[in-house]
Structures are given as C-alpha cells and as structure tokens.
C-alpha cells in the first residue's frame, strides 16, 4: 500500500524570476487543490519550504489518458488512483526547460536546501507532527560532503537505463550507480526494497552496458592548405619557365587563361 508518492524533478536548483522576490519550488499535481489528502500534503510541504525561505506554488494539470507520454513523473501513479505530486523547480513541463544533451550546473547550496525541505516534510507526515520545527537541522542536518560526493559521482556516470543499472566491462560487479545507491540505503535504513520496472521495447534506445572510445582528430588549419596551394603553383610555374623559357611560358599561360574565358562566354 502506498499512502502517497512524492516525485522529485530538477531539485538541483531553485526557480528565480526578477518578478518573484523569493526563490520558488513548484508542486505539480493532477488533482485539484480541494482534495483533503492533497491539501494536507501541500500544507506540510509549504511549512517546510517556508522554514527554508522558499516559496511554494501548486500547479494543477489534468492527465490526458489518451496520451502515451506523461508530462510529469507523478502522473504514472495518478493513473492508478494513488495520491502523487512532483516537486520541481520548473513551473512548466516544457521540453526546453527540462531536456538537454548536456549536464546543467547543479547549485549544491540550493540542492541542500531542497533536500532539507523534502526530509522535514516526510518526517512531519510519517510522525504526524503539527509543529513547524525543523527536525533535520544541526547535527541531524544534511551531510554536505556526503551530498557533494554523490553529486560529483552522478555527474561522472551515465544515467541512461542500461549504464545506470549495469556496470560496464571495465568495472567490477556492484559498481554501477544504482548498486552504490542500494548499498547506502542498506547501511542507513532497516528496510530497503528495489523494484524493477520493464520498459516498453518501443522506448528502449540503448541495450546493455558497454564502453567505447571516443576519437578526436586534429586537422590542419585552412592556412596550411592555402600555403600548400601557392607552393604547388609556384613550383609548376618555375618548372614551366625552366622548360620553355620566360616568354614561351607566359604565352602558354595566356593561352590557358584566354581559352578558359572564351569557353565560358560561348556557353548559352
């Protein structure tokens, strides 16, 4: 049984807008704000974010059941009638905001603040606390070196499904990103459970964990080609003068040039 699902999207930063004085996080939901369970969850997240100086805004978007592609992660749970929201720094699911072939810079200070917001919100829900006191602060706060180490490691690892779950041939077993995350969960929690999801074959673009070598070639600049062209022409001209003499060589060059011009003028 799942009471609710809190999905995280792009929390390595905060949304900033000159028109909005405070940094903002957005809660995307498929249910209207009138739902009692959603109201309780939003109030808890709002209390945690306010304590961190971050404003929270609810964005309601209905699910298009006929669409096979979901806009937010929580929609997979909402389709099964499970209370779910996505916490994101992006106000919209627009592709240009969330998609890139390159890694964006992670704001580690903002990530730490967002982790504290999520942790305190979950603690209030689990222990049914009404107080706005921040539980995860001080000695119970976020371990910054630990968080930064994970951010750096995730930035060096491939995140596509095959590489994240399976170690490459050059690495020993258990060294994939998901294996390391599972090891940490086993060390710090009394119970951990990994659920495996099978992706639709129409959506799998990469199969297997493989490694390859990227070759980068340095080519000569354009100036080198121009210099070589001039040198070859000078050599041919010197050879022509040596064989025919200066006057005959000039006549030969004139005939070649004028014949070429005459052919261009005769073309319709």
């Amino acid at each position: 049984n799942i009471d609710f699902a809190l999905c995280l999207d792009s929390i390595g930063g905060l949304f900033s807008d000159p028109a909005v004085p405070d940094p903002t996080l957005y809660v995307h939901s498929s249910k209207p704000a009138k739902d009692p369970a959603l109201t309780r969850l939003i109030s808890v997240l709002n209390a945690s974010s306010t304590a961190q100086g971050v404003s929270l805004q609810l964005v309601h978007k209905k699910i298009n059941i006929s669409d096979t592609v979901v806009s937010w992660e929580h929609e997979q749970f909402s389709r099964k009638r499970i209370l779910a929201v996505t916490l994101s720094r992006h106000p919209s699911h627009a592709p240009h905001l969330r998609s890139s072939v390159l890694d964006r810079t992670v704001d580690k200070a903002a990530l730490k603040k967002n982790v504290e917001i999520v942790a305190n919100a979950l603690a209030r829900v689990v222990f049914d606390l009404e107080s706005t006191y921040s539980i995860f602060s001080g000695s119970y706060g976020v371990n910054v070196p630990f968080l930064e180490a994970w951010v750096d490691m995730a930035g060096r690892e491939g995140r596509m499904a095959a590489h994240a779950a399976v170690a490459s041939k050059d690495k020993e077993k258990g060294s994939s990103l998901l294996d390391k995350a599972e090891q940490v969960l086993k060390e710090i929690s009394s119970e951990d459970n990994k659920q495996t999801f099978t992706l639709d074959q129409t959506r799998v673009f990469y199969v297997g964990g493989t490694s390859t070598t990227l070759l980068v070639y340095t080519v000569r600049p354009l100036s080198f080609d121009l210099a070589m062209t001039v040198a070859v022409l000078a050599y041919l001209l010197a050879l022509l003068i040596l064989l025919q003499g200066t006057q005959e060589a000039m006549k030969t060059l004139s005939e070649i040039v004028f014949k070429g011009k005459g052919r261009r003028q005769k073309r319709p």
Side-chain angles (χ1 to χ4, degrees):
N1 295 327
I2 300 177
D3 292 334
F4 70 92
L6 177 60
C7 303
L8 306 178
D9 176 87
S10 304
I11 63 170
L14 291 169
F15 180 79
S16 58
D17 190 342
V20 181
D22 298 327
T24 307
L25 279 176
Y26 295 89
V27 179
H28 298 272
S29 172
S30 302
K31 288 187 175 183
K34 297 179 180 179
D35 185 271
L38 178 61
T39 302
R40 164 63 177 163
L41 180 60
I42 296 301
S43 64
V44 170
L45 288 170
N46 190 37
S48 298
S49 62
T50 303
Q52 296 293 336
V54 178
S55 62
L56 196 74
Q57 291 189 20
L58 176 64
V59 181
H60 175 230
K61 176 184 174 298
K62 292 184 178 180
I63 298 177
N64 185 3
I65 300 178
S66 62
D67 192 358
T68 58
V69 179
V70 297
S71 301
W72 295 102
E73 287 76 5
H74 72 270
E75 294 182 7
Q76 296 284 17
F77 297 93
S78 297
R79 292 187 177 191
K80 298 182 180 180
R81 300 185 181 280
I82 298 174
L83 175 62
V85 296
T86 297
L87 186 66
S88 175
R89 64 175 172 150
H90 297 307
S92 170
H93 64 281
H96 71 276
L97 292 176
R98 305 172 62 211
S99 302
S100 174
V101 296
L102 301 176
D103 275 340
R104 294 182 173 90
T105 303
V106 176
D107 187 347
K108 295 180 181 178
L111 177 61
K112 173 181 176 295
K113 185 176 295 187
N114 293 336
V115 169
E116 291 177 347
I117 291 173
V118 173
N120 284 305
L122 290 177
R124 288 190 177 96
V125 172
V126 172
F127 298 106
D128 195 18
L129 301 176
E130 297 294 339
S131 173
T132 58
Y133 176 75
S134 296
I135 300 174
F136 295 99
S137 59
S139 59
Y140 294 101
V142 177
N143 188 334
V144 177
F146 179 81
L147 182 65
E148 292 179 348
W150 268 95
V151 170
D152 295 337
M153 183 181 67
R156 295 192 302 266
E157 296 285 339
R159 256 89 23 98
M160 67 183 187
H163 284 178
V166 182
S168 63
K169 295 180 180 179
D170 299 334
K171 296 181 180 180
E172 53 187 42
K173 186 178 180 180
S175 62
S176 69
L177 188 63
L178 294 185
D179 289 336
K180 292 176 182 177
E182 187 178 5
Q183 292 173 6
V184 172
L185 287 176
K186 288 181 178 179
E187 293 175 0
I188 64 176
S189 63
S190 59
E191 181 181 355
D192 67 278
N193 185 16
K194 181 174 70 173
Q195 296 182 354
T196 303
F197 297 90
T198 302
L199 297 177
D200 186 358
Q201 292 299 322
T202 59
R203 301 180 184 277
V204 178
F205 300 100
Y206 304 96
V207 179
T210 59
S211 60
T212 185
T213 303
L214 176 65
L215 301 178
V216 179
Y217 296 93
T218 303
V219 297
R220 298 184 183 276
L222 179 61
S223 57
F224 175 80
D225 295 334
L226 294 176
M228 285 297 297
T229 302
V230 172
V232 170
L233 292 176
Y235 171 77
L236 294 176
L237 179 60
L239 186 61
L240 183 63
I241 293 174
L242 181 63
L243 296 176
Q244 294 184 347
T246 304
Q247 293 182 353
E248 293 295 329
M250 295 302 295
K251 290 180 181 180
T252 302
L253 291 175
S254 299
E255 291 177 358
I256 294 175
V257 173
F258 287 117
K259 282 182 179 180
K261 289 183 177 180
R263 289 176 181 174
R264 293 196 199 97
Q265 292 177 355
K266 289 180 181 180
R267 289 180 181 177

